[in-house]
């Protein structure tokens, strides 16, 4: 993975703009001959870079990454850039399921989820994985957004699943 990341850094230093297709082509080229779990994906590159920067400073310094190059790298490796294009990242927290006294025909009634929410929705799956603990839901989403290359200094929080008067 390091060789692929170094090639990306070299191309960025040369002033090349690596768009989605070019980056995908580079990744496919590096994956030729590799099988299954040995292959790389774009979503693995940024966490690898951030991990090396944090845990192996000598190795990271050997890459000669200045702040401008790092910003370009983060922009290149960011996954789903529309998520925080406005400068605000959104986190949805789902409340613990409670029984509802109504029995509406149009309302989904999944025992594991709050009334009117389906278990196959991403926020609901995240809530279930975190035992509906709001702190854990926010912490896991912040971690994921950071690994995807999004800024997490401005957050909009949405609380779903409860009935309030």
């Amino acid at each position: 993975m390091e060789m692929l990341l170094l090639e990306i850094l070299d191309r960025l230093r040369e002033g090349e703009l690596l768009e989605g297709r070019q980056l995908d082509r580079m990744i496919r080229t590096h994956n030729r001959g590799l099988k299954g779990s040995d292959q790389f994906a774009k979503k693995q590159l940024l966490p690898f870079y951030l991990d090396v920067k944090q845990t192996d400073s000598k190795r990271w310094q050997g890459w000669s990454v200045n702040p401008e190059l790092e910003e370009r790298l983060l922009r290149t490796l960011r996954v789903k850039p529309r998520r925080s294009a406005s400068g605000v990242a959104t986190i949805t927290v789902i409340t613990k399921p409670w029984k509802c006294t109504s029995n509406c025909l149009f309302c989904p009634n999944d025992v594991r989820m709050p009334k009117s929410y389906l278990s196959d929705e991403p926020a609901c799956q995240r809530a279930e994985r975190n035992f509906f603990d709001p702190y854990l839901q926010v912490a896991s989403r912040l971690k994921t957004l950071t690994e995807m290359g999004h800024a997490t200094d401005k957050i909009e929080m949405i609380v779903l699943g409860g009935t309030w008067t």
Side-chain angles (χ1 to χ4, degrees), residues 34-40 44:
L34 299 176
K35 295 184 181 179
S37 63
D38 294 334
Q39 293 186 338
F40 308 122
Q44 296 171 314

Side-chain angles (χ1 to χ4, degrees), residues 16-34:
E16 197 173 324
L17 276 175
L18 290 175
E19 298 293 323
R21 288 184 180 174
Q22 295 165 315
L23 188 59
D24 289 342
R25 198 173 312 125
M26 285 177 65
I27 292 170
R28 277 196 308 276
T29 301
H30 275 272
N31 284 338
R32 280 196 190 115
L34 299 176

Side-chain angles (χ1 to χ4, degrees), residues 7-74:
E7 183 179 339
I8 292 169
L9 286 169
D10 287 341
R11 288 195 179 187
L12 290 174
R13 277 188 195 100
E14 293 169 2
E16 197 173 324
L17 276 175
L18 290 175
E19 298 293 323
R21 288 184 180 174
Q22 295 165 315
L23 188 59
D24 289 342
R25 198 173 312 125
M26 285 177 65
I27 292 170
R28 277 196 308 276
T29 301
H30 275 272
N31 284 338
R32 280 196 190 115
L34 299 176
K35 295 184 181 179
S37 63
D38 294 334
Q39 293 186 338
F40 308 122
K42 178 183 174 182
K43 67 180 181 179
Q44 296 171 314
L45 290 170
L46 189 57
F48 172 74
Y49 171 79
L50 295 173
D51 183 55
V52 169
K53 181 179 177 181
Q54 187 175 31
T55 61
D56 194 352
S57 60
K58 285 184 182 179
R59 184 175 173 193
W60 182 76
Q61 288 170 354
W63 294 349
S64 303
V65 179
N66 62 30
E68 179 201 346
L69 180 61
E70 184 173 43
E71 178 59 35
R72 291 178 55 213
L73 177 69
L74 294 177

Side-chain angles (χ1 to χ4, degrees), residues 91-96 126-127 130-142 157-159:
I91 298 178
T92 302
V93 174
I94 306 288
T95 62
K96 196 178 231 177
R126 200 169 27 255
N130 290 295
F131 312 105
F132 293 95
D133 181 318
Y135 177 83
L136 293 177
Q137 289 179 60
V138 171
S140 71
R141 191 63 181 149
L142 284 171
M157 185 164 320
I158 301 171
V159 180

